[in-house]
Amino acid sequence: MARRKRTSVVLEKAVRRAASINSIDPRLDLGNGLTLPAFSTLIETMRSKENAYNSALSSLDKLYREMLETESELGDMTEQMLMAVGTRYGKSSIEYGMAGGVPKNQRRKGQREKSPINNEQPSFVASMESNNGKKPAATT
C-alpha cells in the first residue's frame, strides 16, 4: 500500500492570502520583513519542500516493492537450493542436514497423545450456619 502523500492546508491558505494581498499592491511592505515578495518566496520554498517530500515517499514505496519482490525470489531460491541438495545427496544424507534440512531418518513422527482426563472435580462446600451471617465460603 502506498504511503499517503502530504498536502498542506497552511500552504493552500497562504497561496490564497498572497493572491488577495497582491490585489492590494504587488510590492506591499508592512514593515519588519513582512513583504509580499518575501511571503511569495516562503510559499515557493514550502511548495518545493512538500514536492520533495512527496517524491521521496514515492521513491520509498518503489524501493519497498522492489525489496519485497527480491525477498520472495530469495525465499524461492532458498527452497530450491535445499531441494537440489536433497536430490543430489538424498534427504537422509549429512549434506542435506548441513544445508539446513532435517534428514528424513531424523524426523519425528507426529504421535497423538491423549490428554490425561482429570476425573477430579472441584468440590464446593458452603456452610450457612457456621459463618454467623457472612457469605458462604467456597473451598476446593
Side-chain angles (χ1 to χ4, degrees):
M1 184 167 112
R3 288 164 178 75
R4 287 188 58 187
K5 306 301 184 261
R6 188 177 193 289
T7 58
S8 174
V9 175
V10 173
L11 177 61
E12 293 171 8
K13 183 177 178 181
V15 168
R16 285 192 304 272
R17 177 128 330 135
S20 298
I21 293 173
N22 191 41
S23 67
I24 297 171
D25 182 6
R27 288 183 258 157
L28 183 66
D29 186 353
L30 299 170
N32 294 330
L34 298 176
T35 65
L36 188 57
F39 190 44
S40 297
T41 301
L42 190 56
I43 287 172
E44 289 306 314
T45 301
M46 175 59 191
R47 183 174 286 144
S48 69
K49 289 189 185 239
E50 184 180 67
N51 289 339
Y53 175 81
N54 288 335
S55 294
L57 285 180
S58 295
S59 297
L60 187 62
D61 287 338
K62 179 183 176 199
L63 183 62
Y64 181 68
R65 284 190 306 272
E66 290 172 354
M67 183 190 69
L68 290 178
E69 288 174 12
T70 304
E71 184 179 39
S72 177
E73 290 175 25
L74 180 61
D76 291 344
M77 189 169 185
T78 299
E79 184 179 352
Q80 290 173 351
M81 293 292 287
L82 180 62
M83 291 170 61
V85 169
T87 301
R88 174 170 276 177
Y89 296 102
K91 289 191 175 181
S92 295
S93 68
I94 294 171
E95 290 83 1
Y96 186 72
M98 290 170 63
V102 177
K104 199 172 184 178
N105 56 3
Q106 292 181 4
R107 291 186 191 153
R108 294 184 188 173
K109 301 272 184 189
Q111 294 179 353
R112 294 186 182 191
E113 290 185 30
K114 293 185 179 180
S115 60
I117 299 173
N118 189 359
N119 289 333
E120 271 185 57
Q121 291 187 2
S123 60
F124 293 97
V125 178
S127 173
M128 299 292 274
E129 297 173 8
S130 65
N131 288 340
N132 294 329
K134 294 181 181 175
K135 291 183 180 178
T139 60
T140 57

